[in-house]
Amino acid sequence: MSELYNVSSSPHVRSKDTTSRIMLYVVIALLPTSIFGIYNFGYKALILMLVTIASCLVSEWVFEKIVHKKSTLGDMSAVVTGLLLALNLPATLPWWEAMIGGVFAIVIVKMMFGGLGQNFMNPALGARCFLLIAFAADMTNFSIDSYSGATPLALIRNEGVDSVNIMDMLIGKTAGTIGETSVIAILIGAIFLILMGVIDLRIPGTYIVSFVIFLILFSGHGFDVNYIVAELCGGGLMLGAFFMATDYVTSPITPMGQILYGICLGVLTGLFRTFGANAEGVSFAIILSNLLVPMIEKITIPKAFGQVKEVKKHE
């Protein structure tokens, strides 16, 4: 009796990881910074999280109904997009603007390009940049309760590094977006992802090191440890480095490509923060680097053994 075998070429990957499992790990890793964001900014932060997650889920469901595609809500990617978007928003943002951001992230950035795996930039950051352009005043309003509205990065730029408390920046008792303030909470989540094998240190490590080198060379502060630590802890650099720059879809797959990608991230963030009009710059640095990924992969994908470059014949 003959048997049928499904034979495929190597490599043969044996793993229990699925898209939904990986996304679940990311959600779990984001819980520390999400919980701290709610503690730090109150119920408004929770409302924005619920709004962005719901708008992302509904947008994906409606879009797939319209185009008669099989539902992909089970992969949890829309939940991750909604949560990441909320963590990149100020708690003072009106809920309806956050809802628009969720729709933009899913429909325009993700689904219009074919869905998960086809988007050319991180959907949450694409939506954040869209909201920054469309609702600039609301997106830069960080005044809430005990915080005056001046973020640590703005204080450093206007008044110097002595105007900020680095310990407060590590803990997260500062103004900023919902999920960027507590470096400790972010690192707890990042360590979880590393232990679960979801990410490694190649991209975030290269990103951070490149950024520090840029600051030492071009910021005008030299090797000022307080300034460097404050810049690392301020803004969305840590959140971006571990949770958005490492996005599987929009980052390179080759080891050398990931290193080049991290260098691009560090240099662009350094340029925006040192010479740009805005004190932040992480979101735009990641999006611009996302656009460079196809070129980075083209020049870093290893050639097959024995393959040589075709020589053009001149007639």
Side-chain angles (χ1 to χ4, degrees):
M1 181 177 178
S2 61
E3 296 182 5
L4 296 177
Y5 295 94
N6 182 16
V7 181
S8 61
S9 61
S10 61
H12 303 287
V13 179
R14 296 176 175 85
S15 174
K16 294 181 180 179
D17 286 337
T18 61
T19 300
S20 58
R21 182 186 293 268
I22 291 172
M23 294 299 169
L24 177 60
Y25 286 156
V26 176
V27 171
I28 294 172
L30 287 171
L31 286 179
T33 190
S34 300
I35 293 171
F36 185 85
I38 296 170
Y39 164 77
N40 200 25
F41 298 108
Y43 72 94
K44 292 182 179 179
L46 176 60
I47 290 175
L48 287 188
M49 290 180 195
L50 296 176
V51 167
T52 53
I53 291 173
S55 63
C56 286
L57 288 170
V58 172
S59 298
E60 187 162 314
W61 182 81
V62 171
F63 185 93
E64 288 170 336
K65 283 292 183 182
I66 293 174
V67 300
H68 305 291
K69 289 183 64 176
K70 182 180 178 181
S71 175
T72 56
L73 293 182
D75 63 21
M76 292 188 65
S77 61
V79 175
V80 172
T81 296
L83 183 54
L84 281 173
L85 174 58
L87 296 177
N88 279 278
L89 301 177
T92 55
L93 191 76
W95 66 268
W96 60 271
E97 292 180 9
M99 182 180 68
I100 291 174
V103 174
F104 184 90
I106 296 298
V107 176
I108 304 300
V109 183
K110 180 182 176 183
M111 303 307 294
M112 291 290 285
F113 289 90
L116 182 65
Q118 306 298 319
N119 49 285
F120 67 96
M121 69 171 66
N122 186 285
L125 288 184
R128 181 178 191 267
C129 291
F130 165 74
L131 292 174
L132 275 170
I133 296 170
F135 308 105
D138 291 336
M139 284 291 292
T140 54
N141 176 22
F142 301 103
S143 299
I144 184 169
D145 298 332
S146 59
Y147 300 128
S148 64
T151 64
L153 290 181
L155 290 172
I156 292 170
R157 170 168 288 198
N158 297 325
E159 303 176 22
V161 70
D162 293 333
S163 62
V164 298
N165 186 312
I166 294 179
M167 185 55 66
D168 284 346
M169 295 173 70
L170 283 169
I171 297 171
K173 298 297 291 181
T174 63
T177 64
I178 295 171
E180 73 180 15
T181 58
S182 177
V183 175
I184 293 175
I186 293 169
L187 290 179
I188 291 173
I191 291 171
F192 173 79
L193 289 184
I194 293 169
L195 293 176
M196 293 295 103
V198 177
I199 66 171
D200 58 37
L201 285 172
R202 191 175 287 115
I203 290 175
T206 308
Y207 183 0
I208 293 169
V209 170
S210 301
F211 177 68
V212 170
I213 293 173
F214 187 96
L215 291 183
I216 293 172
L217 295 177
F218 302 108
S219 69
H221 292 266
F223 195 74
D224 185 338
V225 176
N226 286 335
Y227 176 77
I228 292 172
V229 173
E231 284 285 341
L232 289 174
C233 295
L237 193 145
M238 288 298 176
L239 184 66
F242 288 102
F243 288 96
M244 288 172 285
T246 54
D247 176 31
Y248 286 179
V249 178
T250 56
S251 62
I253 59 174
T254 61
M256 182 55 68
Q258 291 173 349
I259 291 173
L260 291 177
Y261 177 66
I263 293 173
C264 289
L265 290 167
V267 170
L268 287 173
T269 304
L271 279 171
F272 291 141
R273 286 196 178 183
T274 304
F275 303 109
N278 191 285
E280 182 45 271
V282 171
S283 297
F284 289 105
I286 294 177
I287 284 180
L288 289 175
S289 296
N290 289 161
L291 300 178
L292 296 175
V293 167
M295 183 178 69
I296 291 173
E297 290 194 326
K298 184 177 181 181
I299 64 177
T300 58
I301 290 179
K303 293 181 175 61
F305 180 75
Q307 181 178 353
V308 294
K309 186 176 181 180
E310 184 179 350
V311 180
K312 293 183 178 179
K313 295 181 179 179
H314 297 281
E315 296 181 356

